[in-house]
Amino acid sequence: MEGTIGSKGLVKKTELVRIITDALISLGFNSIATDLENQSGVKLLDPTIKHFLDQAKAIMPERRLVCLLEESLDRQISNCDFHNAPDSDMSLCFDHCCEKSKVPSKTVQTLVGHTDEVWFLKFSHNGTHLASSSKDNSAIIWEINAEGGEFLMKHKLEGHKKPVVEVLWSPDDKQVITCGENEVIKRWDVVGLGHCVGTYGITDVGSVSCGWFHDGSGIIGAMADRRIYLWNLDGSVIEHEQEQRGQKPSDVAMTSDGKWLVSVGRKQNEISLFDRVTRDETVIQVEGIFTSFSLSRDNKYLLVNLITQEIHVWMIVGEPRKVSKFSGHKRSRFVIRSCFGGYDENFIASGSEDSQVYIWHKGFERGPCCVLSGHGGAVNCVSWNPTDLHMLASASDDRTIRIWGLDLE
């Protein structure tokens, strides 16, 4: 059986028959494989071919057809701008191409509850709640209604005397911490009545940002004196020897394994990865001053927002390295926050001072694949639901929160 098949003449008939025969044997269809060999006259490994391949050390790898098919599917995924579906949805029967409708792009609900600009928001780890914080000195816990699928206000957390710049969920989603602007950090029970159960601060030094320990056993505070403080939940201070930071840390975070404490470095253009075991500090030199950062859920990537109106993605496993950068959104005066999201966190979403939400595919270093309009003021923060690939939330100076879902029309 000589010759080729296919429009480009690249596939040799004999090789294709051997690959199909190998696949049939691997699936347990030995008799069909034997019939194919007999009818085609092409043996999977006839003596002459086997001798040649042995000499060349080039025997066809096992499961060759499966390997080729997987490579084809991977290539289709990597070329898909809007791929936001589990790999189990892939099919061999037709070419894969996700439509724009796979990415949240339609406002499905507008949350009204804050009386001033909304600066921050974050979905709970289980995706059933949303926490937001505002210039109105409060934070709100929103709970999704199981019947209607809409968010309703569960608690309004009041007690700060200044704007609340952050609200972050504990690892078990039973509590949140809030950071008052140049004030204190408060811990709240949100399963019960929404009462404050702890306050953390340093005398005469205001808070700038906050974070949880990986296991929920402690609180991290980045303070106005450009130092980072650690507390046990009972308020006792944990000794921490990091030097003064190069600027007030707008973000501070601990990786989910508890190994790294991430913050601004000793200089304004540095990000510090502090190893809590060895006490060593790894420094990432960024291209300019950064305004905020966000960790991926698997702790492999760091999303860095710069004053240059660029967003850089850094791989922080092993030797840190920048892997991509994105632009298109607007930032000149405010802290604008971005996040990873979607299937396998393949997307990046960001707020913008032009009242829009920008979405990029992480694999394509080019312009945004979606720009979402609807807000009437700067979009300060976005959060992608970690359990619902098709839900995104945005917080704006227009005092509202928008929940974005799929546009199926």
Side-chain angles (χ1 to χ4, degrees):
M1 179 181 287
E2 300 296 334
T4 62
I5 62 173
S7 60
K8 296 183 178 180
L10 299 177
V11 181
K12 296 181 177 66
K13 291 182 179 180
T14 53
E15 292 183 350
L16 180 60
V17 169
R18 290 191 188 103
I19 289 174
I20 294 174
T21 303
D22 174 67
L24 289 169
I25 293 172
S26 69
L27 292 170
F29 299 123
N30 292 31
S31 60
I32 299 176
T34 300
D35 288 343
L36 177 59
E37 284 186 320
N38 292 336
Q39 292 185 39
S40 66
V42 178
K43 301 297 183 181
L44 179 61
L45 286 176
D46 66 37
T48 303
I49 295 172
K50 187 177 187 305
H51 174 74
F52 172 77
L53 293 176
D54 282 340
Q55 294 296 316
K57 305 296 183 184
I59 294 178
M60 183 178 68
E62 294 182 2
R63 301 175 60 82
R64 180 61 176 162
L65 180 59
V66 174
C67 179
L68 291 173
L69 292 174
E70 286 182 341
E71 286 181 357
S72 174
L73 292 176
D74 282 342
R75 192 174 299 110
Q76 291 181 48
I77 290 173
S78 65
N79 290 329
C80 180
D81 278 12
F82 304 105
H83 186 68
N84 194 28
D87 290 347
S88 58
D89 290 354
M90 298 291 290
S91 173
L92 293 171
C93 299
F94 49 83
D95 288 340
H96 173 78
C97 182
C98 290
E99 300 295 333
K100 186 177 179 179
S101 60
K102 290 287 187 181
V103 177
S105 58
K106 178 181 179 180
T107 299
V108 296
Q109 188 180 1
T110 301
L111 306 183
V112 179
H114 288 291
T115 59
D116 211 327
E117 299 168 359
V118 188
W119 286 357
F120 192 93
L121 80 173
K122 189 77 172 180
F123 279 107
S124 59
H125 300 91
N126 61 19
T128 62
H129 291 75
L130 179 69
S132 60
S133 66
S134 168
K135 189 180 178 181
D136 67 6
N137 303 355
S138 77
I140 294 178
I141 305 300
W142 308 87
E143 182 177 35
I144 195 165
N145 184 318
E147 295 181 2
E150 293 191 339
F151 283 93
L152 302 174
M153 187 187 299
K154 180 180 181 180
H155 298 301
K156 191 162 189 176
L157 310 180
E158 297 177 304
H160 283 285
K161 298 179 181 180
K162 294 184 178 181
V164 182
V165 296
E166 278 184 313
V167 54
L168 297 171
W169 292 92
S170 62
D172 62 5
D173 288 334
K174 293 181 178 180
Q175 299 182 339
V176 297
I177 51 175
T178 54
C179 179
E181 184 180 45
N182 201 31
E183 194 202 22
V184 294
I185 298 165
K186 291 181 176 289
R187 179 167 58 94
W188 309 78
D189 168 25
V190 294
V191 174
L193 300 176
H195 290 161
C196 179
V197 294
T199 301
Y200 310 87
I202 301 296
T203 303
D204 298 326
V205 182
S207 53
V208 178
S209 60
C210 60
W212 284 93
F213 274 38
H214 67 294
D215 56 3
S217 65
I219 306 297
I220 311 164
M223 311 300 283
D225 63 357
R226 294 184 291 160
R227 294 187 181 277
I228 294 172
Y229 296 85
L230 309 179
W231 295 273
N232 292 305
L233 294 184
D234 62 9
S236 57
V237 177
I238 301 172
E239 184 178 350
H240 184 63
E241 68 271 23
Q242 270 186 289
E243 297 178 20
Q244 193 173 42
R245 305 291 86 189
Q247 67 183 52
K248 293 180 181 179
S250 59
D251 284 298
V252 62
M254 186 176 290
T255 54
S256 58
D257 59 4
K259 180 179 180 181
W260 298 101
L261 184 61
V262 187
S263 70
V264 64
R266 290 187 292 270
K267 297 180 181 179
Q268 290 185 330
N269 65 331
E270 292 180 349
I271 293 178
S272 162
L273 305 176
F274 181 78
D275 191 321
R276 298 179 64 229
V277 177
T278 66
R279 322 309 286 179
D280 292 331
E281 191 169 24
T282 300
V283 174
I284 297 175
Q285 298 279 350
V286 298
E287 299 170 12
I289 298 174
F290 74 92
T291 58
S292 64
F293 69 76
S294 176
L295 274 169
S296 62
R297 289 199 302 272
D298 60 10
N299 303 316
K300 293 181 179 179
Y301 296 96
L302 190 67
L303 196 61
V304 182
N305 284 64
L306 300 170
I307 62 172
T308 57
Q309 300 189 106
E310 288 186 340
I311 300 172
H312 291 187
V313 179
W314 283 79
M315 168 77 80
I316 59 174
V317 176
E319 187 68 26
R321 60 187 178 88
K322 187 180 72 175
V323 294
S324 55
K325 64 180 180 180
F326 303 90
S327 61
H329 65 303
K330 302 296 184 289
R331 194 225 74 85
S332 60
R333 296 180 295 161
F334 308 131
V335 173
I336 299 296
R337 298 182 181 276
S338 307
C339 71
F340 293 104
Y343 179 69
D344 204 24
E345 293 198 304
N346 280 331
F347 291 90
I348 293 167
S350 177
S352 178
E353 290 183 13
D354 63 2
S355 307
Q356 300 184 109
V357 176
Y358 287 74
I359 299 175
W360 299 263
H361 191 291
K362 193 172 69 176
F364 303 115
E365 197 171 349
R366 56 194 186 210
C369 61
C370 291
V371 179
L372 314 183
S373 301
H375 277 294
V379 179
N380 301 304
C381 185
V382 292
S383 181
W384 209 301
N385 193 315
T387 62
D388 186 342
L389 305 178
H390 305 135
M391 181 182 289
L392 178 71
S394 55
S396 173
D397 280 357
D398 66 9
R399 305 183 179 187
T400 71
I401 296 163
R402 284 182 177 256
I403 306 298
W404 304 86
L406 299 185
D407 186 356
L408 301 177
E409 296 179 355

